């Protein structure tokens, strides 16, 4: 395994999993893609992990506006426990309103797909995590 300083972020949904990446040197999260939830999602994630060899995977943690767990919270927790097969540290980061923010950012840039929104939301989740745990960007 190479000496990686990469971190991956995931926005887990019922149909797609948004994926973002950051290097801890630059502390800047960028959207990568959305992985379809079609029974091959763990194989698709394995390929991404093999490419970037992250030191941690940050998973968006859903809660309602009061901060309480939702039905989606249990789904995300179960999904995150299955990520254990990759033998990489898993961290959670609040994902409140990230999809709304992502859609607004993309709307300002022009046309976009739902997959673009998911990947952008993953980048927002990951950027929040990096800023909390590693400080602000140097860019």
């Amino acid at each position: 395994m190479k000496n990686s300083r990469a971190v991956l972020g995931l926005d887990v949904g019922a149909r797609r999993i948004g994926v973002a990446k950051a290097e801890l040197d630059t502390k800047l999260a960028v959207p990568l893609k959305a992985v379809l939830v079609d029974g091959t999602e763990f194989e698709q994630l394995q390929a991404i992990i093999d490419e970037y060899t992250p030191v941690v995977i940050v998973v968006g943690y859903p809660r309602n506006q009061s901060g309480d767990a939702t039905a989606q919270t249990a789904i995300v927790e179960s999904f995150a426990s299955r990520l254990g097969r990759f033998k990489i540290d898993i961290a959670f980061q609040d994902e409140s309103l990230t999809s709304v923010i992502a859609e607004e950012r993309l709307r300002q840039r022009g046309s976009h797909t739902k997959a673009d929104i998911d990947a952008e939301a993953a980048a927002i989740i990951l950027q929040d995590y990096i800023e909390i745990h590693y400080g602000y960007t140097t860019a």
Side-chain angles (χ1 to χ4, degrees):
M1 180 187 248
K2 61 186 176 184
N3 186 12
S4 175
R5 301 266 304 147
V7 181
L8 290 180
L10 303 179
D11 179 32
V12 179
R15 294 189 178 126
R16 288 170 305 279
I17 300 164
V19 182
K21 172 197 162 288
E23 293 292 334
L24 293 177
D25 297 335
T26 61
K27 300 178 186 171
L28 185 62
V30 294
L32 285 178
K33 66 186 293 184
V35 169
L36 287 177
V37 176
D38 62 1
T40 68
E41 56 271 14
F42 285 96
E43 290 82 2
Q44 294 177 67
L45 290 172
Q46 180 69 64
I48 295 167
I49 289 166
D50 289 346
E51 181 175 354
Y52 296 107
T53 60
V55 295
V56 65
I57 298 174
V58 179
V59 180
Y61 195 77
R63 293 187 248 201
N64 65 22
Q65 294 297 348
S66 301
D68 298 324
T70 66
Q72 185 64 21
T73 306
I75 292 167
V76 167
E77 288 172 342
S78 174
F79 178 86
S81 72
R82 295 186 328 209
L83 289 172
R85 71 177 71 179
F86 298 125
K87 308 286 190 236
I88 299 169
D89 289 339
I90 306 297
F92 289 105
Q93 175 61 42
D94 180 37
E95 68 168 33
S96 299
L97 300 175
T98 56
S99 292
V100 173
I101 296 165
E103 186 169 11
E104 180 57 31
R105 282 184 185 177
L106 291 168
R107 184 179 303 121
Q108 292 174 3
R109 293 182 208 155
S111 69
H112 58 275
T113 65
K114 290 184 185 273
D116 295 332
I117 295 169
D118 296 332
E120 185 75 20
I124 294 167
I125 292 163
L126 183 54
Q127 190 67 49
D128 289 347
Y129 176 86
I130 289 169
E131 290 176 4
I132 290 168
H133 296 279
Y134 295 98
Y136 289 95
T137 65
T138 57

